[in-house]
């Protein structure tokens, strides 16, 4: 068969939809230009929140080199910072899925154009399009799988998503630089067709291009209202039907708020958390070490802080009232009476990612950073980290280590 045979996708006659055209594609492209830029920035911010330069236990992305040029010490103010940025990242990413799919559909005939390369410049443009389309599908797919807790990746989500984001965004910037002027002209001048996009022999229209855009916008709005509640919390959590943590709060009472990893999943039971079995080991300057039972911790000065838990999957709790010992007071017990240093926190959990986590000195020094023993006026439940857990303002949920066994203060 010849490549111009109308039965083949390489033929312009194969593509008959009357919706394709410069104006339709340009509107979708400008929406993605703004949305993907916000996604990229909030994604980098999310990576910075893990303090990846602090210690290898926090960084799941090896050999990032110059790609980590922007990293900074993650702050503790405002305390809802990570809740906002990661909630925006996940919610916007899900909301943009219909726009991305519609944009890819609108330009799919160009992917089958023959010959594949008419010149070196054309070949480079086609390669950039492959990186753009492939990178976009990869980033959105891995992001959705991560939100749904489907860890089916051929490796760790963190490096895959991180490196994939840089490849995709590089192609995206190149494409935007070439196409944004054309898109802006098309929208301003309301151009409705172009030989490269519009079907040469279109079928009869059953819906207008404006109607198609309203359909895409409606699909995005539906995803927004069925996802956003997981990061907003409160009564709106019940509307987050597509989020794994978006249903009703588990149980009721002081411990009746969302959790990520249960004690049963982590292999934690009363044999290791009971009063006679558990001791917190705190190590500091010159190897100075103290071992504290939970009763002894309760005798230390206790402080309270109202803080949420926010996780990389985009879900967060409302502010909970935590009570426990300040991290900086624990540092003082082992020789750090002035400004406290970094700390490595280790959990009773024996296996799995983030059973150890490092916190920066500014996080340790914040008076709201606690080794929490209680929440909302009651002892922690096993699922919330009994006998003790870390809670730090603005830190990702996985850095708020549960079932704490050991804390080592010092420069990491």
């Amino acid at each position: 068969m010849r490549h111009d045979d109308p039965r083949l996708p390489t033929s312009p006659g194969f593509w008959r939809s009357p919706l394709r055209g410069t104006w339709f594609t340009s509107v979708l492209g400008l929406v993605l230009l703004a949305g993907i830029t916000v996604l990229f920035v909030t994604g980098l911010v999310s990576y910075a929140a893990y303090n990846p330069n602090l210690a290898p236990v926090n960084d799941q992305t090896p050999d990032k080199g110059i790609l980590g040029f922007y990293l900074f010490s993650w702050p503790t103010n405002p305390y809802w910072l990570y809740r906002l940025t990661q909630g925006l990242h996940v919610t916007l990413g899900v909301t943009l899925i219909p726009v991305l799919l519609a944009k890819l559909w609108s330009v799919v005939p160009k992917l089958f154009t023959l010959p594949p390369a008419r010149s070196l410049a054309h070949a480079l443009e086609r390669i950039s399009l492959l990186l753009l389309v492939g990178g976009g599908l990869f980033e959105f797919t891995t992001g959705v799988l991560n939100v749904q807790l489907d860890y089916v990746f051929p490796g760790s989500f963190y490096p895959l998503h991180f490196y994939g984001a840089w490849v995709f965004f590089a192609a995206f910037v190149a494409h935007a630089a070439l196409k944004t002027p054309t898109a802006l002209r098309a929208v301003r001048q309301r151009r409705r067709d172009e030989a490269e996009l519009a079907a040469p022999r279109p079928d009869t229209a059953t819906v207008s291009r404006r109607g198609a855009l309203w359909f895409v916008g409606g699909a995005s709005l539906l995803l927004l209202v069925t996802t956003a509640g997981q990061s907003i919390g409160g009564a709106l959590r019940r509307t987050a039907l597509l989020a794994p943590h978006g249903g009703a709060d588990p149980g009721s009472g002081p411990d009746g708020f969302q959790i990520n990893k249960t004690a049963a999943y982590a292999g934690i039971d009363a044999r290791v958390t009971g009063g006679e079995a558990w001791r917190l080991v705190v190590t500091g300057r010159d190897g100075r070490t103290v071992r504290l039972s939970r009763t002894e911790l309760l005798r230390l000065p206790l402080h309270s802080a109202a803080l949420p838990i926010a996780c990389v999957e985009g879900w967060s709790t409302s502010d909970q009232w935590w009570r426990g010992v300040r991290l900086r007071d624990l540092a003082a017990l082992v020789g750090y009476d002035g400004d406290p240093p970094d700390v490595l926190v280790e959990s009773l959990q024996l296996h799995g990612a983030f059973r150890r986590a490092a916190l920066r000195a500014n996080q340790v020094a914040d008076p709201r950073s606690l080794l929490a023993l209680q929440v909302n006026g009651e002892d922690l439940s096993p699922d919330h980290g009994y006998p003790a857990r870390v809670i730090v303002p603005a830190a990702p949920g996985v850095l708020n280590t549960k079932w704490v066994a050991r804390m080592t203060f010092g420069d990491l």
Side-chain angles (χ1 to χ4, degrees):
M1 289 186 180
R2 298 179 307 173
H3 68 78
D4 59 349
D5 189 313
R7 291 172 294 176
L8 295 177
T10 54
S11 169
F14 180 85
W15 308 98
R16 304 292 299 275
S17 173
L19 296 179
R20 290 190 178 92
T22 302
W23 181 80
F24 183 73
T25 298
S26 296
V27 172
L28 296 171
L30 291 174
V31 172
L32 289 174
L33 176 63
I36 288 176
T37 300
V38 174
L39 281 182
F40 184 69
V41 172
T42 53
L44 294 185
V45 167
S46 176
Y47 181 63
Y50 283 79
N51 289 322
N53 283 346
L54 178 59
V57 297
N58 284 16
D59 191 0
Q60 302 295 316
T61 309
D63 302 323
K64 58 184 175 294
I66 62 171
L67 298 184
F69 70 93
Y70 70 95
L71 293 173
F72 53 93
S73 297
W74 188 248
T76 56
N77 285 306
Y79 73 90
W80 39 260
L81 179 60
Y82 187 75
R83 181 182 185 186
L84 171 65
T85 58
Q86 191 60 14
L88 177 61
H89 181 75
V90 171
T91 301
L92 180 60
V94 173
T95 301
L96 285 177
I97 288 174
V99 184
L100 175 70
L101 294 178
K103 175 66 161 59
L104 294 178
W105 172 86
S106 74
V107 298
V108 70
K110 298 185 70 173
L111 299 179
F112 292 91
T113 301
L114 294 178
R118 296 189 294 269
S119 65
L120 178 60
H122 185 244
L124 293 175
E125 180 186 359
R126 296 299 294 272
I127 292 172
S128 71
L129 286 177
L130 288 175
L131 294 175
L132 180 70
V133 174
L137 291 174
F138 178 83
E139 285 299 289
F140 277 81
T141 300
T142 54
V144 168
L145 288 173
N146 183 66
V147 170
Q148 297 298 327
L149 307 181
D150 291 327
Y151 298 109
V152 295
F153 319 113
S156 172
F157 166 77
Y158 298 95
L160 289 173
H161 204 66
F162 178 79
Y163 287 126
W166 279 105
V167 171
F168 167 60
F169 197 71
F172 178 77
V173 169
H175 184 75
L178 292 172
K179 298 299 184 182
T180 298
T182 301
L184 290 172
R185 286 195 301 271
V187 171
R188 283 198 302 264
Q189 299 171 9
R190 309 180 71 81
R191 291 167 55 193
R192 294 304 182 106
D193 55 33
E194 181 183 35
E196 291 188 49
L197 292 176
R201 294 186 298 277
D203 289 332
T204 303
T206 57
V207 64
S208 69
R209 286 172 176 161
R210 287 187 178 276
L213 286 177
W214 278 109
F215 177 79
V216 174
S220 289
L221 180 62
L222 179 62
L223 290 177
L224 172 65
V225 299
T226 53
T227 303
Q230 68 168 343
S231 58
I232 297 174
L236 289 177
R237 186 178 298 281
R238 299 177 185 275
T239 67
L241 304 178
L242 300 181
H245 298 276
D249 287 346
S252 59
D255 288 295
F257 57 95
Q258 298 305 119
I259 59 172
N260 187 356
K261 191 181 301 178
T262 66
Y265 176 86
I268 306 296
D269 58 36
R271 290 174 296 178
V272 293
T273 61
E276 295 303 319
W278 182 83
R279 293 294 185 272
L280 173 68
V281 179
V282 185
T283 302
R285 193 187 300 275
D286 300 324
R288 187 182 307 180
T289 299
V290 297
R291 296 171 58 87
L292 299 166
S293 68
R294 198 169 189 278
T295 300
E296 290 169 326
L297 284 168
L298 287 167
R299 291 178 184 148
L300 296 175
L302 301 182
H303 302 269
S304 299
L307 299 171
I309 297 174
C311 280
V312 68
E313 295 91 0
W315 67 270
S316 61
T317 71
S318 54
D319 292 355
Q320 307 299 320
W321 196 254
W322 306 91
R323 188 163 178 79
V325 182
R326 285 174 172 166
L327 298 188
R328 68 187 190 187
D329 291 345
L330 291 171
L333 290 178
V334 289
Y336 293 100
D337 297 317
D339 294 333
D342 308 327
V343 64
L344 176 65
V345 184
E346 299 178 74
S347 173
L348 289 171
Q349 180 183 343
L350 297 178
H351 305 287
F354 293 102
R355 60 167 295 271
R356 301 190 301 161
L359 300 172
R360 288 192 184 277
N362 68 301
Q363 295 173 310
V364 176
D366 193 292
R368 297 163 297 178
S369 296
L370 304 174
L371 180 71
L373 306 171
Q374 300 172 335
V375 63
N376 298 325
E378 298 288 342
D379 288 344
L380 296 169
S381 70
D383 287 342
H384 284 302
Y386 182 89
R389 70 168 298 160
V390 166
I391 187 76
V392 173
V398 292
L399 298 187
N400 293 314
T401 307
K402 297 193 286 188
W403 313 296
V404 175
R406 178 182 292 272
M407 304 180 75
T408 305
F409 290 91
D411 295 332
L412 301 179

